[in-house]
């Protein structure tokens, strides 16, 4: 019999299937590590989404700043 594959090497599909079987996250082979691994992956995904949204907001703010400067420059040159 082969060694048990560590949870961090499982695919998301394998984890989701195992979670359906053991909804509390306590697996007979891995113990409470199954629930911990699922929570860890969810936290990583949420951090990636948060980082992506912060980067998008920063790009939007920078673009808005450039538009405001261009607008002020246009007004200045029009009244010159």
């Amino acid at each position: 019999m082969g060694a048990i594959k560590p949870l961090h090497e499982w695919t998301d599909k394998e984890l989701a299937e195992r979670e359906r079987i053991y909804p509390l996250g306590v697996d007979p082979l891995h113990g409470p590590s199954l629930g911990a691994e699922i929570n860890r992956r969810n936290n990583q995904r949420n951090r990636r989404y948060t980082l992506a949204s912060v980067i998008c907001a920063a790009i939007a703010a920078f673009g808005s700043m450039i538009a405001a400067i261009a607008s002020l420059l246009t007004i200045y040159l029009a009244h010159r």
Side-chain angles (χ1 to χ4, degrees), residues 3 6 9 11 16 19 21 26-27 30 38 41 44-45 47 50 54 56 59-60 68 71 74:
E9 293 179 1
T11 63
E19 185 183 24
I21 298 170
V26 180
D27 185 357
H30 297 96
I38 291 168
R41 289 192 188 191
Q44 279 184 339
R45 185 180 60 242
R47 284 182 180 177
T50 302
V54 167
C56 289
I59 291 171
S71 176
T74 303

Side-chain angles (χ1 to χ4, degrees), residues 26-52:
V26 180
D27 185 357
L29 295 175
H30 297 96
S33 299
L34 177 67
E37 178 66 19
I38 291 168
N39 286 336
R40 184 185 72 81
R41 289 192 188 191
N42 287 338
N43 287 338
Q44 279 184 339
R45 185 180 60 242
N46 289 339
R47 284 182 180 177
R48 279 193 302 267
Y49 290 160
T50 302
L51 178 63

